[in-house]
Amino acid sequence: MGLQKIHQRGVIHGDLHPRNILLAFPGIDSVSVEELYQKYVPPTRTEIRRLDGAPLGPGVPSHSVVPVWLGSFCEEVSDPRITISDFGEAWLNNDPSPREELHTPPIYLPPETTFAKDSISFPADIWTLACTIHEIMGERPLFECFFGDRDDVISETISTLGLLPEDWWKMWEARGEYFLEDGTWRTDMKRRRAPRSMPLSERIELMGRKDEPDFSAEEAESYERMLRAMFQYYPEKRATAKEVAKSDWMTRWGVPSLQAYDIQIPCDLS
């Protein structure tokens, strides 16, 4: 729904993923820096040095800061405030210079960044939002690749959602490393993955919530329908942010779960 508000203003975020969604600790705005350090711990700074001893480049920070443990898991935070952050890659839809690439981590990149670079727009945010929703729900990335490259992510996407459209399939130069020409998996591939598909429905079953009494088969089916609408390969066929906000899963389960924590809904869903 926050993304719906962003899109209504003609802005494409361009880098939406879990690390750019912040959960504000309640009451932290009223605490001074000194009080924060007294209650928790001062930040731990680690100097950054090159292995070869050469000077750091102009865009490299001199140190990093270790994240602070605030003493609560996210599930234990009451009255949270959720913020979409990092608009450094954002652009306006009417920008005369279209974007042909995104700097989002590879496991969240929509397929048009590889196969249709002239069509990167609002739907790219919908794809990354779907990845983000599932990672929050399932507590692990949907298109998970350990040290994989872009082709590994594409193969994982096919494993989850099915074969690419024919024109994109022919454009994918690395397809022969994973598949035979009829679309079946190679059993002699040299890539580090099992030669089988794991469809979205199976991944939803394995995401660790099937035994929870509040995640019924009806909700799982509704959740899958919403994700499939967001994961359409062709961007023009993907659900819009408004359609996602009005989807069955969002209206029956997503929004009520937010309202249970007294979280204000920023957009009119009527």
Side-chain angles (χ1 to χ4, degrees), residues 158 163 169 175-176 178-187:
I158 293 172
L163 290 177
W169 174 259
R175 67 182 184 276
Y178 304 87
F179 299 94
L180 301 176
E181 278 305 309
D182 63 358
T184 57
W185 290 94
R186 296 191 70 98
T187 57

Side-chain angles (χ1 to χ4, degrees), residues 41 43-44 64-70:
V41 294
T44 302
S64 63
V65 179
V66 178
V68 175
W69 167 244
L70 296 177

Side-chain angles (χ1 to χ4, degrees), residues 214-235:
D214 63 336
F215 193 68
S216 64
E218 183 182 12
E219 180 182 354
E221 292 173 2
S222 178
Y223 174 71
E224 181 179 353
R225 287 197 301 273
M226 180 188 71
L227 287 188
R228 288 196 177 279
M230 301 171 75
F231 278 134
Q232 290 294 308
Y233 280 130
Y234 288 137

